[in-house]
Amino acid sequence: MASGKELEVIKGSKVLMVGAGGIGCELLKTLALSGFEDIHIIDMDTIEVSNLNRQFLFRQSHVGQSKARVAREAVLKFRPHINITAYHANVKDPDFNVDFFKQFNVVLNGLDNLDARRHVNRLCLAADVPLVESGTTGFLGQVTVHIKGKTECYECQPKPAPKTYPVCTITSTPSKFVHCIVWAKDLLFAKLFGDRNQDNDLNVLSTDANDLSKQTEDVFERRSDEDLDQYGRRIYDHVFGYNIEMALANEETWKNRNRPKPIYIEDVFSQKQAKQNGIADQNCGSENSGISAMSSLGLKNPQDVWSLFENTRVFLEALKLFFEKREKEVGSVTFDKDDQLAVEFVTAAANIRAASFGIPLHSLFESKGIAGNIVHAVATTNAIIAGLIVIEAIKVLQNDADNYRMTYCVEHPLKKMLLMPVEPFEPNKSCYVCSETPLSLEVNTNHSKLRDFVEKVVKKKLGMNCPLIMVGSTLLYEVGDDLDEAMVANYEANLEKVLAELPVPVASGTMVSVEDLQQELTCTINIKHREEFDEDEPDEMVLVGWSQPVATEKEDKSVSNGGEGTSDAAGKLKTNDNLDETEIVPTSEIVSVVGSKRKLSELSNTDVKEVISTVSSVHSSAHQMEEINDDEDDVVMLDENPEQAKKKR
Amino acid sequence: MDEEELTAQETALYDRQIRVWGVDAQRRLSKSHVLVSGMSGTIAEFCKNIVLAGVGRLTLMDDRVFSEQSLLANFLIPPDASEHCGRSLAEICCDSLKEFNLMVRVSVEKGDLSSFDAEFFDKFDVVVIAGCSLTIKKAINEKCRKRPKRIAFYAVDCRDSCGEIFVDLQSYTYLKQKGEDTFEHNMQYPSLVDSIAVPWRSLPRKATKLYFAMRVIERFEVAQSLRPGETSAADIPSVLELKKELCKVQSVNESHIPDRLLERLLTHPREHPAVCAIIGGILGQEVIKAISCKGDPLKNFFYFDAADGKGIIEAIADYVSS
């Protein structure tokens, strides 16, 4: 199509793309083919092998290089005369400030994490630049349009909560394989190979009846007289044997649960076998990009589910290899899904724990997916979503506001549709981001410190990067490069003070102003003192008026498996890496329609069920749907489930 | 099912998609052979998608030579004409596609698809044609249907910001998933001839107008011996006249096919790159489903129109009288 006028608008526009991954590669290609001539693209990531099945601008030889730069080069090959500016950088860098954003006619997001999405949303609002936002998981995807004052902003609706689990489920009463993975990854792996001094809920103390002097010894410390085999076997016995015995001693816990079975190394693996572990083909480890317990043990297929015996071998071998071959890193290793040895260790440890608790064992392939929060991704969905982004971007450039649509790409047709357009919703009048509505915070002002407030509320919940905190005209805290030493010291001191004892006391009724200079976002928070908090409020702070993430399952505390969540096609929750190369569906925009005036229509039960089964794959909870029965223009709309509305405050 | 395992290289490359469709589906894909004819922008998108997904072999057909027109929506064709001296579009696209995935064998078949006899199609599991006249579409579809093995057939057409996909999987059995259960499910597909023979008045009133508009235009092109997309604004009066006639014969109201829609399709027959990406994406997904026998395939027409943003399945098949 591209009528003359349309092409003129396209050619004259300057667009910013954030993300050069799965959606980004497709988007850059489609923009270039559509006639865009001035495209800027930001991505901090480098290319990995697992990107190549869909990020078609990249080749094996590009692994390790900047996505933004390689994508630029690849597109210039078929459209040599257009301008593409690549930034191998984090969009949160201070260089990308409001002035930077102001130079663009539209911003197009192909991002993979909630943090960056929120950040870009705020900059677009501050710069008053339209934003087209997108996300995909498997066959599901969506494109939304955010125009300041006209449509809802990205943060008008609650986003899904990060998947977290109660500490005791992880440490004592796992019932699903994912609990074993979280234990293996966040507790055991972190303790053995990460920062020893960090808080960790793993029981590290042993009460050896024969040797009371060693009662408080940290069993994870390797003894001077111990070789790696002995050390591995001792750790094994401690975490899979001794710790289970300890847990079993608490009869109350097991009244309504299956009792776990302690597993000791001697039961699975004799000392003699241990000595031979991994000797078989020690030298074939070169192929698989480095050190691997699987290759030194001759295990080939990552899809196989290993027996307890095999898991035990992998556990001991991986532990040994870490200390033998990667000794320098020990103490600072963090789990990475692309670290083969780390995935092997976590798989084995999770499986041994699963065996103890009667939970089915899983393959390395499956374990890697769970531990790495790997989001399903295929090329086709990304291509479709990128096409839809370009269609919306062209409408935005032409100011064709009546025709803006959010579009959902679904796996099972809904009302005959695989691509389902929905009219954008109006801004949520109580959104603290785009409407600057005051928030209120319930907090024990005699107990919580300014540091808690900064970390748990300002950064974690409000998503601010460089906050500045004021009461009246007094600055309590700020960050920045241009602060003098005295100020820094003053702010540091403030961080350690409880709210009520700050230079300007923060108490019930105090209005605290929180500002992020980069995002140009200011929030006013009304403080309410509260003495007691429940167990399910572990932060001891309750922020009201802030869009509470939607918890998809009941378990929602304390130990989280990675970044922010998204639901997969089966409605099971998966979580997502912050720096993963995959994309997530930012879900739940569709869940509720707060500022909209549309009324719920009468729906049959089948309709509701159909919608729930189809769309709940993209979104976490039930909602209702309205179809305007107009021949030319039937637009499907989803409205908030009354039940859910009640749950929200 | 062959118990061959995927290689470590395949597992690493296909990791993210194996998490979507499983190892069995990946294995079936790697054994399949797909034929495409007509290197349009939509077909370029489609080829990219199935090469990335890891089909076993892909054969390209298009003897046309490079022109400015050919690269408008096709990112597989480098724009420098001097590089292409005399090579066909299929050959140029073949070179680009090979780079996307070294594990896929991409090759070129020369000749006129409609002149090949039916046995030619036996080596393929899937045949996808684009930019073909109705006559050729019907003929190829019939050839595929007459073979002893099942050959999935797809015809695709994109004009202005609209696209159409026709699907014929003949008799297709796959594992359907309903809730927790999976069971064998069979679907019967009619041929293109039988599908478009369905009287218009027996189709639901809400059937997409694009379906009817495309039927009018394809009849016009056959009557005038035009290649698909060779129409122009000058043809509008004759096409509107044909529409009137057809509506009368089919005893449906003329409002069934808005004049404006026909005008759009005739005036801007060129492909819209965003629509190519969308149609090529849906088509890729459908072919992957058909090969892997996983997921509900669409039956039997799909439409997308950027003007309303809807991607609609039209089961014209349900109205074919047996």
Side-chain angles (χ1 to χ4, degrees):
Chain A
M1 72 173 188
S3 63
K5 195 182 125 235
E6 186 180 296
L7 202 58
E8 211 173 290
V9 175
I10 291 173
K11 283 186 190 302
S13 69
K14 186 170 181 177
V15 304
L16 175 65
M17 280 179 59
V18 191
I23 294 175
C25 281
E26 295 287 341
L27 182 57
L28 187 60
K29 171 257 305 164
T30 305
L31 285 173
L33 290 174
S34 302
F36 285 83
E37 293 184 347
D38 193 356
I39 307 166
H40 291 236
I41 180 163
I42 304 177
D43 197 311
M44 66 189 285
D45 282 351
T46 53
I47 297 158
E48 291 171 37
V49 172
S50 61
N51 301 150
L52 304 176
N53 80 319
R54 61 194 185 286
Q55 301 179 15
F56 76 102
L57 299 174
F58 310 145
R59 306 279 170 268
Q60 187 74 44
S61 60
H62 296 135
V63 169
Q65 297 182 40
S66 153
K67 287 188 175 182
R69 292 193 191 129
V70 175
R72 172 183 179 274
E73 295 299 320
V75 168
L76 287 178
K77 283 195 181 133
F78 62 85
R79 285 293 179 275
H81 303 300
I82 66 172
N83 292 311
I84 303 176
T85 311
Y87 306 86
H88 181 203
N90 187 340
V91 69
K92 286 165 119 183
D93 287 351
D95 291 349
F96 305 120
N97 55 18
V98 174
D99 283 336
F100 175 84
F101 274 72
K102 274 185 178 155
Q103 64 182 307
F104 300 102
N105 300 98
V106 64
V107 174
L108 313 173
N109 268 359
L111 278 164
D112 61 2
N113 69 87
L114 188 59
D115 261 7
R117 285 188 166 103
R118 292 171 75 182
H119 185 81
V120 173
N121 179 50
R122 291 163 189 200
L123 281 158
C124 286
L125 286 167
D128 199 6
V129 176
L131 169 66
V132 182
E133 171 65 74
S134 68
T136 66
T137 6
F139 300 123
L140 310 172
Q142 64 186 46
V143 174
T144 53
V145 184
H146 306 281
I147 315 254
K148 190 178 180 176
K150 285 187 187 141
T151 68
E152 62 177 9
C153 85
Y154 177 70
E155 294 175 85
C156 277
Q157 302 303 331
K159 297 292 171 279
K163 187 63 194 147
T164 57
Y165 304 94
V167 174
C168 63
T169 302
I170 301 304
T171 57
S172 327
T173 57
S175 57
K176 294 177 185 163
F177 188 67
V178 62
H179 302 149
C180 302
I181 287 280
V182 173
W183 175 86
K185 183 181 82 161
D186 291 350
L187 301 184
L188 185 59
F189 183 88
K191 190 75 203 172
L192 276 168
F193 310 117
D195 183 357
R196 286 261 158 103
N197 300 319
Q198 228 166 40
D199 282 348
N200 192 314
D201 290 299
L202 197 68
N203 176 27
V204 300
L205 300 180
S206 157
T207 37
D208 190 337
N210 301 323
D211 192 351
L212 287 172
S213 66
K214 283 186 178 168
Q215 192 167 5
T216 54
E217 176 205 57
D218 181 343
V219 294
F220 286 83
E221 282 300 324
R222 193 170 144 197
R223 296 171 192 156
S224 49
D225 56 348
E226 196 171 44
D227 68 22
L228 275 174
D229 285 322
Q230 291 167 327
Y231 177 60
R233 295 167 68 89
R234 193 163 57 76
I235 297 297
Y236 189 104
D237 280 347
H238 178 79
V239 297
F240 302 116
Y242 175 81
N243 275 355
I244 301 288
E245 301 272 15
M246 292 289 286
L248 280 169
N250 188 352
E251 287 296 332
E252 200 60 24
T253 315
W254 310 108
K255 264 189 178 161
N256 301 309
R257 288 186 177 93
N258 291 329
R259 297 168 66 90
K261 179 171 71 59
I263 300 176
Y264 288 98
I265 193 84
E266 272 300 320
D267 306 338
V268 191
F269 209 54
S270 73
Q271 197 115 32
K272 209 170 132 199
Q273 284 171 308
K275 283 269 185 269
Q276 288 158 356
N277 198 28
I279 293 171
D281 34 8
Q282 198 77 276
N283 296 326
C284 6
S286 55
E287 178 189 289
N288 214 353
S289 73
I291 305 144
S292 155
M294 270 178 84
S295 54
S296 63
L297 296 172
L299 295 165
K300 293 212 174 70
N301 190 348
Q303 309 278 347
D304 287 343
V305 178
W306 302 326
S307 64
L308 176 60
F309 177 71
E310 285 166 326
N311 277 298
T312 301
R313 291 178 73 198
V314 173
F315 178 92
L316 294 174
E317 182 66 14
L319 187 141
K320 200 167 101 187
L321 286 173
F322 258 115
F323 284 96
E324 247 172 31
K325 307 274 165 96
R326 294 172 59 175
E327 204 185 350
K328 281 191 189 132
E329 293 170 64
V330 171
S332 62
V333 187
T334 51
F335 179 83
D336 176 350
K337 65 182 187 323
D338 297 309
D339 179 341
Q340 173 70 17
L341 192 59
V343 173
E344 290 170 347
F345 179 84
V346 166
T347 302
N351 274 325
I352 299 163
R353 185 166 174 84
S356 179
F357 281 86
I359 296 167
L361 309 195
H362 285 65
S363 69
L364 178 112
F365 178 82
E366 294 165 310
S367 304
K368 179 179 168 181
I370 301 166
N373 306 309
I374 294 174
V375 180
H376 309 166
V378 287
T380 49
T381 314
N382 290 335
I384 294 166
I385 289 301
L388 293 168
I389 295 172
V390 173
I391 289 171
E392 290 311 316
I394 294 173
K395 290 184 211 165
V396 166
L397 293 174
Q398 295 180 304
N399 232 330
D400 187 9
D402 291 345
N403 287 311
Y404 295 161
R405 292 289 181 274
M406 335 196 248
T407 308
Y408 296 90
C409 178
V410 294
E411 183 174 5
H412 306 289
L414 184 57
K415 302 272 154 190
K416 298 197 320 192
M417 281 186 271
L418 285 175
L419 302 174
M420 192 171 64
V422 180
E423 270 186 53
F425 300 130
E426 290 166 20
N428 175 359
K429 298 212 166 51
S430 58
C431 173
Y432 74 94
V433 179
C434 69
S435 301
E436 295 186 6
T437 308
L439 297 162
S440 78
L441 181 73
E442 296 172 4
V443 57
N444 186 331
T445 51
N446 298 318
H447 191 233
S448 290
K449 293 176 178 171
L450 182 64
R451 181 182 296 282
D452 300 321
F453 177 72
V454 170
E455 294 299 327
K456 292 174 182 166
V457 175
V458 178
K459 289 191 177 164
K460 199 169 145 203
K461 292 201 162 122
L462 301 181
M464 288 189 178
N465 236 2
C466 320
L468 179 151
I469 298 168
M470 286 175 86
V471 172
S473 56
T474 310
L475 259 170
L476 292 174
Y477 180 75
E478 67 180 311
V479 280
D481 300 332
D482 50 349
L483 305 177
D484 65 44
E485 269 175 45
M487 287 161 86
V488 173
N490 179 29
Y491 295 142
E492 278 299 317
N494 282 350
L495 282 178
E496 300 311 322
K497 290 178 183 155
V498 298
L499 298 176
E501 287 165 15
L502 284 162
V504 184
V506 170
S508 246
T510 307
M511 301 287 270
V512 179
S513 168
V514 184
E515 192 178 346
D516 186 305
L517 295 175
Q518 192 191 357
Q519 299 172 346
E520 293 197 5
L521 174 66
T522 306
C523 294
T524 307
I525 302 177
N526 198 351
I527 302 294
K528 284 181 187 154
H529 175 79
R530 182 173 146 192
E531 282 290 326
E532 300 284 330
F533 287 86
D534 299 339
E535 264 182 31
D536 62 354
E537 297 163 331
D539 286 348
E540 304 210 322
M541 284 189 268
V542 178
L543 191 61
V544 183
W546 164 73
S547 312
Q548 179 73 40
V550 184
T552 342
E553 269 179 57
K554 277 176 196 148
E555 314 156 282
D556 57 352
K557 262 170 289 167
S558 311
V559 182
S560 92
N561 184 20
E564 67 282 347
T566 179
S567 0
D568 72 4
K572 287 184 224 138
L573 205 106
K574 291 272 178 326
T575 50
N576 190 48
D577 263 341
N578 275 347
L579 298 173
D580 195 54
E581 75 288 3
T582 52
E583 306 73 37
I584 66 150
V585 177
T587 67
S588 58
E589 275 95 322
I590 209 171
V591 171
S592 55
V593 189
V594 180
S596 106
K597 296 188 182 82
R598 297 171 192 117
K599 54 180 191 251
L600 291 172
S601 67
E602 289 163 36
L603 284 160
S604 71
N605 263 336
T606 4
D607 275 350
V608 176
K609 268 189 204 143
E610 191 188 352
V611 175
I612 290 170
S613 65
T614 314
V615 185
S616 65
S617 43
V618 189
H619 316 285
S620 30
S621 42
H623 27 275
Q624 297 186 344
M625 168 184 172
E626 175 183 28
E627 186 175 336
I628 294 174
N629 231 349
D630 175 271
D631 229 2
E632 202 50 59
D633 248 311
D634 35 352
V635 171
V636 176
M637 268 165 267
L638 294 147
D639 243 323
E640 187 169 69
N641 182 337
E643 225 173 288
Q644 202 189 333
K646 258 184 272 160
K647 278 189 215 152
K648 280 197 277 173
R649 262 171 273 202
Chain B
M1 185 73 233
D2 200 327
E3 287 302 310
E4 259 176 67
E5 282 172 12
L6 297 173
T7 64
Q9 193 189 7
E10 286 173 307
T11 309
L13 176 64
Y14 300 135
D15 183 282
R16 297 302 185 270
Q17 67 201 37
I18 291 174
R19 293 177 195 280
V20 177
W21 52 59
V23 183
D24 280 351
Q26 191 63 50
R27 227 182 268 136
R28 286 195 194 101
L29 275 172
S30 68
K31 294 183 188 309
S32 63
H33 191 172
V34 178
L35 171 73
V36 301
S37 171
M39 295 313 300
S40 64
T42 310
I43 292 295
E45 287 281 349
F46 165 74
C47 290
K48 170 206 71 192
N49 293 335
I50 61 163
V51 167
L52 290 173
V55 294
R57 298 187 61 183
L58 171 64
T59 300
L60 312 177
M61 290 188 74
D62 195 329
D63 290 344
R64 290 176 298 170
V65 291
F66 174 87
S67 69
E68 288 296 319
Q69 204 70 21
S70 59
L71 59 82
L72 284 173
N74 190 332
F75 59 92
L76 299 175
I77 305 177
D80 185 356
S82 64
E83 284 176 33
H84 306 312
C85 47
R87 298 172 73 231
S88 72
L89 293 184
E91 287 171 317
I92 299 168
C93 292
C94 180
D95 288 350
S96 301
L97 282 167
K98 275 179 180 165
E99 288 179 21
F100 290 173
N101 187 346
L102 301 176
M103 285 184 260
V104 178
R105 286 153 70 194
V106 191
S107 59
V108 171
E109 183 81 45
K110 295 222 168 198
D112 174 9
L113 184 63
S114 55
S115 70
F116 286 90
D117 55 22
E119 285 78 32
F120 167 78
F121 295 94
D122 283 351
K123 51 179 177 280
F124 304 107
D125 303 292
V126 176
V127 172
V128 179
I129 61 172
C132 291
S133 69
L134 176 61
T135 321
I136 295 176
K137 279 185 197 171
K138 283 179 182 170
I140 310 284
N141 182 215
E142 289 307 316
K143 280 179 187 168
C144 290
R145 288 181 73 88
K146 292 211 175 84
R147 303 316 303 160
K149 73 178 259 203
R150 189 177 59 83
I151 302 170
F153 173 86
Y154 299 81
V156 56
D157 215 335
C158 286
R159 292 158 197 256
D160 189 65
S161 50
C162 300
E164 175 186 74
I165 303 172
F166 166 76
V167 184
D168 179 8
L169 301 182
Q170 302 175 37
S171 176
Y172 178 71
T173 306
Y174 70 106
L175 285 177
K176 190 178 171 70
Q177 201 146 17
K178 203 156 201 183
E180 296 286 289
D181 308 327
T182 49
F183 53 93
E184 278 213 340
H185 180 70
N186 178 267
M187 285 170 90
Q188 294 292 326
Y189 284 75
S191 67
L192 179 61
V193 174
D194 290 343
S195 296
I196 61 175
V198 174
W200 290 2
R201 64 183 177 284
S202 63
L203 293 174
R205 198 180 55 87
K206 287 188 74 175
T208 177
K209 292 167 170 53
L210 261 173
Y211 171 77
F212 304 103
M214 292 298 282
R215 303 291 76 79
V216 174
I217 293 178
E218 82 193 355
R219 295 212 27 170
F220 177 79
E221 284 171 345
V222 169
Q224 303 290 314
S225 309
L226 294 171
R227 281 182 76 114
E230 276 182 357
T231 54
S232 69
D235 297 317
I236 292 172
S238 347
V239 173
L240 293 182
E241 196 54 42
L242 178 63
K243 167 196 125 172
K244 222 171 173 178
E245 239 173 76
L246 285 173
C247 287
K248 204 168 158 194
V249 174
Q250 298 274 4
S251 27
V252 296
N253 193 299
E254 276 184 47
S255 67
H256 239 70
I257 317 174
D259 289 356
R260 266 182 43 219
L261 179 58
L262 285 170
E263 286 165 18
R264 259 176 72 200
L265 298 173
L266 293 165
T267 327
H268 307 288
R270 280 199 339 226
E271 292 173 298
H272 187 296
V275 176
C276 293
I278 292 164
I279 293 288
I282 298 279
L283 184 61
Q285 203 44 62
E286 288 303 316
V287 167
I288 290 165
K289 280 186 207 167
I291 295 171
S292 62
C293 298
K294 215 162 176 197
D296 307 322
L298 71 82
K299 185 181 173 184
N300 57 345
F301 285 88
F302 177 81
Y303 290 92
F304 178 76
D305 183 353
D308 63 13
K310 282 188 249 182
I312 297 183
I313 298 170
E314 280 302 341
I316 305 295
D318 294 350
Y319 302 90
V320 173
S321 50
S322 41

